[in-house]
Amino acid sequence: MFVFFEIMLLSSAALIVANETSKVTKISDKMEATMKYLVLNILGGNVMLIAVTSLYASIGSLNMADITLKIRILAEAGTVPWHLYAVGLLFIIVFGGKAAMFPLHYWLPDVHPTAPSPISAMLSGVIIKIGAYGILRVLFMIFAPFQAVYGPIILFMALVTLALGATSAVGQSDVKRMLAYSSVSQIGYVFLGFGMAAMANVAGETEGATIILAASVIYLINHALAKSMLFLTSGGIIHTADTRDMRQMGGMINKAPLMGAAFLVGAMSIGGVPPMGGFISKFMLFDAGLREQFYLPIGIA
């Protein structure tokens, strides 16, 4: 898993720095964003390597199913070494950074606007979802006995992430930067589900935790589809208008009606307007959270 994360980092960095025919993006901005992406992910890779080696030194295995079983046995016996909690936290930091969770989200709003639009669609639809997948494996499989510690941390970070992403998106005039901050906010909703599911598990509400987790995964898939469409459409709009500034894009519905309609559908889905997929996934997540009495987190969301 570590090795393939590194391969993904290098290949995606090459795609981000790829030049476009459009003159809208300055090459200096592109290089700055790529450097941020590379440096943060190389640091993350080193932290992940430390976590993997620490886990191997403590458990004596690299097979995830084997590690899961051994940690569960240690937890039941009450002999868990204290540093294993820190190792799990390192994994959460690494995967949280790849998923653009606060406070490691700041690379995303720079990378999205400067990357070619098809790459922005892939980054939002695939790359940040891999970070969420990593946390899913860590929180609900490898370090499942530690959910009482990690659940509240992820829930708090998720609420900050979704609030920060949404408020930051409101103040943008660059269309791709606005969509990037929106992606930060949306990944906050996914992690909100993860945090609530972990805490429900600790409380013994296994069925409720399963429903919340299922709602989070549906949200993840819906966001990947809707946001990819928005980034692809915004790319077409930028090439038509020859600018990323929304203040200079008036009358696009007349120039490019098909792209305007597609953007509207994507925006309605992300905003949770019935009967779009975004409404269904938001409704499922909120309903599942309210059933388990997470009133304050759902209220904030």
Side-chain angles (χ1 to χ4, degrees):
M1 194 178 189
F2 165 72
V3 168
F4 279 105
F5 258 105
E6 292 299 291
I7 293 168
M8 184 182 75
L9 157 68
L10 291 172
S11 54
S12 56
L15 290 169
I16 291 162
V17 83
N19 206 4
E20 298 175 83
T21 53
S22 170
K23 298 290 182 284
V24 174
T25 305
K26 292 180 187 173
I27 194 68
S28 57
D29 292 345
K30 191 182 278 282
M31 294 307 293
E32 183 189 341
T34 308
M35 278 302 293
K36 275 185 185 176
Y37 182 73
L38 270 174
V39 169
L40 187 67
N41 278 279
I42 288 167
L43 287 171
N46 287 332
V47 171
M48 190 176 175
L49 184 61
I50 291 165
V52 169
T53 50
S54 301
L55 199 56
Y56 181 63
S58 306
I59 303 297
S61 174
L62 288 175
N63 181 287
M64 284 192 230
D66 192 30
I67 295 166
T68 304
L69 187 64
K70 286 178 177 175
I71 287 179
R72 192 168 292 161
I73 290 165
L74 286 172
E76 286 170 2
T79 54
V80 177
W82 68 268
H83 66 269
L84 276 184
Y85 287 93
V87 168
L89 206 55
L90 288 180
F91 277 116
I92 288 170
I93 290 166
V94 170
F95 294 135
K98 290 189 188 298
M101 184 166 70
F102 174 85
L104 299 170
H105 67 288
Y106 55 84
W107 60 271
L108 194 71
D110 282 343
V111 166
H112 271 318
T114 57
S117 293
I119 307 307
S120 294
M122 187 202 69
L123 280 168
S124 189
V126 179
I127 303 288
I128 65 174
K129 305 301 184 288
I130 297 295
Y133 167 76
I135 286 191
L136 198 63
R137 292 291 289 267
V138 165
L139 188 63
F140 294 97
M141 183 179 164
I142 300 172
F143 295 101
F146 304 166
Q147 284 177 351
V149 177
Y150 300 149
I153 294 170
I154 287 178
L155 185 62
F156 173 74
M157 299 313 288
L159 290 170
V160 175
T161 302
L162 68 88
L164 188 76
T167 49
S168 299
V170 171
Q172 303 304 316
S173 57
D174 183 321
V175 63
K176 284 178 78 176
R177 202 172 178 85
M178 177 193 71
L179 292 174
Y181 274 116
S182 170
S183 283
V184 172
S185 178
Q186 298 299 311
I187 207 72
Y189 282 98
V190 174
F191 285 129
L192 172 73
F194 289 0
M196 291 192 302
M199 290 173 73
N201 251 340
V202 172
E205 300 288 339
T206 313
E207 190 180 340
T210 307
I211 294 168
I212 293 171
L213 208 53
S216 297
V217 173
I218 290 167
Y219 201 109
L220 200 72
I221 294 164
N222 174 74
H223 177 256
L225 295 170
K227 191 52 69 72
S228 296
M229 183 169 77
L230 281 170
F231 271 114
L232 288 170
T233 312
S234 70
I237 291 168
I238 289 162
H239 282 278
T240 305
D242 208 29
T243 179
R244 291 204 310 254
D245 193 334
M246 288 186 286
R247 294 168 296 188
Q248 298 173 26
M249 286 183 181
M252 287 304 294
I253 194 70
N254 299 319
K255 287 184 190 174
L258 186 64
M259 285 192 288
F263 196 93
L264 178 64
V265 169
M268 285 169 72
S269 183
I270 292 295
V273 178
M276 303 298 173
F279 166 74
I280 294 163
S281 51
K282 269 193 172 75
F283 188 90
M284 281 187 69
L285 183 64
F286 288 4
D287 180 55
L290 290 173
R291 284 181 189 212
E292 295 306 314
Q293 299 179 351
F294 290 103
Y295 301 124
L296 183 61
I298 296 296
I300 294 168

